[in-house]
Amino acid sequence: MKHLLAFAVLTASAVSALAGDTPSNPDAKVYFINLKDGDTVASPVKVQFGLEGMGIAPAGVEIEMTGHHHLLLDRAAFGQTEFGEDEYDYGVAADENNIHYGKGQTETVLELSPGEHTLQLVLGDAFHIPHDPPIVSDMITIVVE
């Protein structure tokens, strides 16, 4: 039992040491190519991800100045959740509101119910952790007819 506790502490320390350590181009931008705040659209919704100043690489692949997209859907803005700073340090959760595009995808098609939906992009490093400094788009709201 003592060995398991020591392993857990060492593992947590190693992950914490990696958190947010991947440098980004401070001039990099992530944005939506085909959608803007206030757009009215029909479902299914095609969403194209834009990136300037850095490149795309799949999750798990460590190449300088690259990352992969995460789409935050219908949730609080990045870093403003109940997890607070943990998102900056430990990465983006993976669930129906935090969608990972770890194969290096640059677009998706979403089936969305009628009404308002919020979208925000976050670039993550090989381990889904935001870069330093983080590359985060503005949050936009779209209306699905």
Side-chain angles (χ1 to χ4, degrees):
M1 184 68 166
K2 191 163 51 171
H3 296 298
L4 286 176
L5 180 58
F7 176 75
V9 169
L10 287 173
T11 302
S13 297
V15 169
S16 181
L18 293 173
D21 288 343
T22 305
S24 67
N25 173 352
D27 297 323
K29 295 177 187 168
V30 66
Y31 56 93
F32 296 99
I33 294 172
N34 65 323
L35 296 173
K36 64 182 184 309
D37 192 44
D39 277 354
T40 298
V41 298
S43 192
V45 180
K46 184 175 187 174
V47 184
Q48 296 174 312
F49 314 142
L51 176 64
E52 291 178 14
M54 290 186 59
I56 296 293
V61 176
E62 293 184 74
I63 300 173
E64 238 179 75
M65 294 296 143
T66 67
H68 64 278
H69 293 288
H70 299 86
L71 176 63
L72 311 185
L73 176 66
D74 295 333
R75 52 152 280 183
F78 181 75
Q80 296 180 9
T81 68
E82 68 272 14
F83 304 112
E85 293 296 317
D86 286 353
E87 280 191 308
Y88 288 101
D89 295 335
Y90 297 108
V92 179
D95 57 31
E96 66 276 357
N97 300 103
N98 301 279
I99 307 167
H100 291 234
Y101 294 93
K103 293 180 183 175
Q105 304 97 309
T106 58
E107 65 180 42
T108 191
V109 176
L110 301 172
E111 291 285 343
L112 297 175
S113 61
E116 287 191 354
H117 296 276
T118 60
L119 295 91
Q120 185 176 35
L121 290 170
V122 177
L123 196 69
D125 70 8
F127 306 102
H128 308 283
I129 299 170
H131 295 77
D132 184 21
I135 304 164
V136 181
S137 76
D138 290 335
M139 180 178 282
I140 66 169
T141 299
I142 61 171
V143 177
V144 176
E145 293 181 320

